[in-house]
Amino acid sequence: MVFRLIDGRFLTALATAGFMLAVTGCQSGGSGGFFSPPAPKDPKQIAAEEGKILASELLAYCPNVTLRDGTAFFNSYAKGGQDDATKLVHQSAITDVTRSCTRADGQMTIKVGVAGKVVVGPAGGAGTVNMPIRIAVIRGEEVLYSQLHKNVVQVSDPSTATQFVFTDANVVIPVPTARDIQIYAGFDEGPAKKKPQ
């Protein structure tokens, strides 16, 4: 008799506790309760899991600018003194690159900025420095844009470094359909490449 009474109370308490848990889960705002559906996933998380890129991400996409190895410095020497440190006239160095992008009529216009400095060498002095800067835009093996520019810097005080800023505001490519574009900036003494039509 006592056993049945204890057993009955135990079952009643267990049923009451289960009911309270179920009610609490139903009133918890729909996240994490026993009877609640799972919270919907963020579209960005779903896209990342599936390896897809959202249209909003492509609209915000502006390709990075990098310097290729060996293109951050440009040395000019006195005639006949190539690679002779005592005949170095000027050394130019790129210290920073940046870009901004706009879109219109299916085209992306990229404004590429290059900043750096010019240091006068043992054979140099005040005067004009001409430095060749190439801006190129690549998608895989395809060259979308390549232009060689002559940046002219006036050095007035040979005892200090002269800062320079170069901007190519006319880089125009088709609006990318994937995040697969790379912009390169750097010094280039090679022949000028024609802009693709």
Side-chain angles (χ1 to χ4, degrees):
M1 181 79 171
V2 174
F3 176 76
R4 284 184 183 173
L5 185 60
I6 293 172
D7 189 50
R9 287 182 184 165
F10 177 76
L11 287 175
T12 304
L14 185 60
T16 303
F19 177 74
M20 290 174 60
L21 283 172
V23 170
T24 303
C26 288
Q27 296 177 350
S28 65
S31 60
F34 286 115
F35 303 107
S36 303
K41 284 188 177 180
D42 179 29
K44 287 185 179 178
Q45 182 182 354
I46 294 170
E49 289 172 1
E50 295 177 358
K52 295 180 180 175
I53 299 170
L54 297 175
S56 60
E57 292 178 312
L58 275 177
L59 287 174
Y61 173 57
C62 188
N64 289 327
V65 183
T66 57
L67 291 169
R68 278 194 166 135
D69 289 342
T71 65
F73 296 94
F74 173 70
N75 296 333
S76 57
Y77 295 90
K79 190 172 181 180
Q82 187 69 25
D83 297 328
D84 182 347
T86 62
K87 295 189 177 180
L88 178 67
V89 178
H90 301 100
Q91 182 178 67
S92 306
I94 295 174
T95 56
D96 197 15
V97 290
T98 189
R99 83 284 185 246
S100 64
C101 300
T102 57
R103 292 167 182 75
D105 302 323
Q107 301 289 313
M108 175 185 277
T109 300
I110 308 168
K111 184 176 181 180
V112 180
V114 176
K117 60 185 178 180
V118 178
V119 177
V120 175
T128 301
V129 179
N130 293 301
M131 57 187 77
I133 297 178
R134 183 177 296 281
I135 305 298
V137 182
I138 310 294
R139 178 174 53 213
E141 297 295 318
E142 182 183 7
V143 177
L144 302 177
Y145 176 92
S146 181
Q147 188 66 40
L148 185 62
H149 305 273
K150 289 293 183 188
N151 187 43
V152 179
V153 177
Q154 188 65 40
V155 175
S156 55
D157 184 357
S159 64
T160 62
T162 300
Q163 305 293 322
F164 72 86
V165 175
F166 167 79
T167 303
D168 184 348
N170 300 311
V171 180
V172 180
I173 63 170
V175 169
T177 56
R179 300 169 73 97
D180 59 354
I181 306 293
Q182 182 62 58
I183 305 169
Y184 292 103
F187 295 118
D188 183 358
E189 295 181 76
K193 294 180 182 175
K194 291 182 179 180
K195 287 174 68 172
Q197 297 300 316

